[in-house]
Amino acid sequence: MTEESPNSGMSIGRSLLYLTVICALLVFFWRYYQENVSEYTSVPVEMQINYVPADFTFDMDEDNALAILANPHRYRREFNELIYDFNMALLYHVARRMDLADSTMVLLEPEYKKHHPYLKQLYFNDFIQIQDTSANLYESWYNNESGGATAVLNEVASKYSCFLVNHVIMGLIKSTDGKINVKGQRVNTPCGIAMTEALRPMIKRLQDRAAIIDFSRSKGLMEEKVERLIAELATVEIRDKKAINKRMQTKIWGYAVSSSDVEISAISLLKAGFKLDQFFDLKLNSKRKRIEITLPEPVILSHEVYPKIDKLDIGWLREVKEVDFNQNFNALRAEFRRDALNDNVLETSKREAKELMSLLFTPLISSQYKGYKIEVRFKRMRKMQDDLSSDDEGRRTENVRLQKEEVPF
């Protein structure tokens, strides 16, 4: 009969302890793994999205859309409707691609209406801030009026499309921590579908039509001579000079084999002031002892740019086309105007106008109306500045709403 060693019992106990610890760790890691990969292995039905093919459909009149984008102030209501219609078309396309249930589809429009009031304002504010709305004539001459407006719309819509999808569609889908399991054909994120399959085709349609309209309009400027009476008061003149350098390379298999250098400089003469034929009013207020002079909001009255080619070095394989020069000229012109607006040239016009009105009318007032003072006001017109655009005169005389902004002298 053999006697069992004490060390043998301790070894068995230690083994059982190790085995218990290992089993506990295995159970812990198994539960942790199940919780973190459940979206791939055991996805609830409400989190599963099956992408199906669908074509983006948006009933848009390109000519009307471009007219609205060219004059967003004048067509503010139509601008809001254009944004509403496009956003709804975008949402419906993403929903069809995700094969959402009919019960969810009917909730898209009510859900979007919750966001449209502030979204339309964001679209409009960003669009106006980016677009050069006071240069219709110059943009037409450089074949870029409608094309520029389309580019601005693309920039603004790209900024908010993903936000729109995430807050409307994803808000209607039941998910865990925003995670969904997707499968099917042409798989992409909802945001990616909105950008590539909805926004991009719409912008392409507008760009194609804008190229035709801009070209036709610029040609029409050369064929027509317009004469009309004007009454303008220029109060600020800005002279500036800028230059631009551009290098264009021709590459073969990724290697540059030829290049062309173009250097263009230009001087700018910009005048800002008031179109008195739009509005001018002078009233005598005996109760307040004021001479009230009301002027329209200041605008850029004229902008003359004189370009000069300082360097033209054309490579042996590179052809410089007219469009290259036009793009450079237009870039310089736009930069001149941008600098002037950033320097608050319109506010300076207001300040100078008040001083000028005082200089002109003070001698008359002091001799005829003792104790009276001059008060200059500015009336803001919701109508966009026509800036000698090619719109017909019938459209220019349509009724506009006026909003008064008083600026005491």
Side-chain angles (χ1 to χ4, degrees):
M1 182 176 181
T2 59
E3 184 178 353
E4 189 174 61
S5 172
N7 292 334
S8 177
M10 293 179 60
S11 177
I12 295 175
R14 189 181 295 111
S15 298
L16 291 175
L17 178 62
Y18 288 159
L19 182 60
T20 302
V21 172
I22 292 174
C23 291
L25 291 174
L26 289 174
V27 172
F28 173 81
F29 283 116
W30 173 254
R31 290 183 176 179
Y32 178 82
Y33 177 79
Q34 285 288 349
E35 292 176 357
N36 285 273
V37 302
S38 59
E39 59 196 30
Y40 303 106
T41 58
S42 57
V43 184
V45 174
E46 65 269 19
M47 294 173 57
Q48 294 180 352
I49 300 298
N50 182 33
Y51 281 119
V52 298
D55 294 328
F56 175 66
T57 57
F58 180 40
D59 185 14
M60 175 180 61
D61 187 325
E62 290 83 0
D63 290 345
N64 287 340
L66 291 172
I68 294 169
L69 297 177
N71 296 277
H73 281 289
R74 177 184 298 173
Y75 304 116
R76 176 65 185 274
R77 180 173 59 85
E78 290 79 2
F79 181 89
N80 294 339
E81 292 176 355
L82 177 65
I83 297 303
Y84 182 92
D85 293 340
F86 169 69
N87 284 343
M88 285 306 307
L90 181 147
L91 291 172
Y92 278 126
H93 174 71
V94 176
R96 286 193 297 268
R97 286 278 282 114
M98 299 175 71
D99 197 22
L100 298 184
D102 293 340
S103 58
T104 303
M105 296 283 284
V106 298
L107 297 176
L108 284 178
E109 189 166 8
E111 185 68 19
Y112 173 69
K113 286 183 177 180
K114 299 177 183 178
H115 302 276
H116 183 68
Y118 68 85
L119 276 178
K120 68 179 182 182
Q121 192 64 43
L122 291 175
Y123 272 84
F124 184 80
N125 291 343
D126 288 1
F127 189 89
I128 295 301
Q129 184 178 3
I130 300 174
Q131 188 188 33
D132 186 1
T133 56
S134 60
N136 289 352
L137 174 66
Y138 310 98
E139 294 289 355
S140 296
W141 177 245
Y142 286 111
N143 301 344
N144 198 44
E145 180 183 6
S146 299
T150 302
V152 174
L153 177 64
N154 183 37
E155 182 176 348
V156 175
S158 298
K159 179 179 179 181
Y160 294 111
S161 292
C162 288
F163 173 87
L164 176 67
V165 171
N166 291 334
H167 281 73
V168 177
I169 291 185
M170 300 307 295
L172 298 176
I173 300 176
K174 298 179 181 180
S175 62
T176 303
D177 299 328
K179 301 175 183 179
I180 59 176
N181 181 58
V182 298
K183 59 181 179 179
Q185 301 181 26
R186 295 160 57 189
V187 173
N188 199 344
T189 64
C191 175
I193 292 175
M195 298 292 290
T196 61
E197 299 181 16
L199 178 60
R200 188 179 298 172
M202 186 198 72
I203 295 299
K204 182 64 168 58
R205 286 171 57 185
L206 289 176
Q207 287 175 339
D208 292 342
R209 185 57 186 165
I212 299 174
I213 293 177
D214 286 339
F215 181 78
S216 302
R217 187 172 296 163
S218 65
K219 294 301 180 185
L221 289 176
M222 296 187 297
E223 298 172 357
E224 63 183 47
K225 180 180 179 181
V226 179
E227 295 182 4
R228 67 174 185 173
L229 298 177
I230 62 173
E232 297 178 344
L233 174 64
T235 54
V236 179
E237 177 183 284
I238 297 179
R239 297 185 181 184
D240 198 0
K241 179 181 179 181
K242 294 184 184 298
I244 188 172
N245 173 270
K246 186 174 182 180
R247 168 170 289 186
M248 296 165 286
Q249 293 185 337
T250 300
K251 294 184 178 181
I252 298 178
W253 297 316
Y255 295 95
V257 297
S258 178
S259 64
S260 297
D261 290 333
V262 179
E263 291 183 4
I264 299 175
S265 60
I267 59 174
S268 166
L269 181 61
L270 183 146
K271 294 182 181 179
F274 305 86
K275 290 191 173 185
L276 301 183
D277 54 346
Q278 288 186 349
F279 187 86
F280 179 79
D281 187 49
L282 190 150
K283 290 182 180 179
L284 177 66
N285 191 329
S286 56
K287 293 183 179 180
R288 302 178 58 228
K289 288 191 174 184
R290 293 287 189 274
I291 304 295
E292 300 174 349
I293 302 174
T294 306
L295 302 173
E297 282 288 312
V299 295
I300 295 178
L301 296 175
S302 65
H303 186 199
E304 301 172 7
V305 179
Y306 304 96
K308 181 181 66 172
I309 299 177
D310 297 316
K311 180 182 179 181
L312 183 57
D313 185 7
I314 302 177
W316 67 283
L317 276 180
R318 179 78 195 191
E319 293 183 1
V320 180
K321 302 178 181 179
E322 293 84 353
V323 66
D324 296 325
F325 291 109
N326 290 337
Q327 289 176 351
N328 290 331
F329 293 156
N330 198 24
L332 285 173
R333 180 204 58 79
E335 194 62 27
F336 282 126
R337 297 173 73 88
R338 186 178 297 109
D339 284 353
L341 294 174
N342 290 339
D343 291 339
N344 293 322
V345 62
L346 301 183
E347 292 299 321
T348 304
S349 295
K350 288 184 178 181
R351 186 169 60 251
E352 294 298 324
K354 289 187 282 188
E355 294 182 3
L356 181 60
M357 293 297 104
S358 177
L359 179 64
L360 291 175
F361 290 99
T362 295
L364 175 64
I365 293 174
S366 59
S367 60
Q368 299 292 331
Y369 304 96
K370 301 273 185 192
Y372 277 70
K373 294 183 179 180
I374 297 176
E375 184 174 275
V376 179
R377 302 176 177 181
F378 301 97
K379 176 168 289 189
R380 176 172 299 162
M381 302 185 69
R382 297 295 297 272
K383 174 183 176 182
M384 175 185 170
Q385 176 193 4
D386 286 320
D387 203 18
L388 300 178
S389 66
S390 59
D391 295 342
D392 57 38
E393 293 298 326
R395 290 173 58 189
R396 294 185 186 183
T397 57
E398 67 173 301
N399 294 330
V400 294
R401 292 178 296 177
L402 303 179
Q403 178 182 2
K404 179 178 292 186
E405 175 190 3
E406 297 184 0
V407 182
F409 177 70

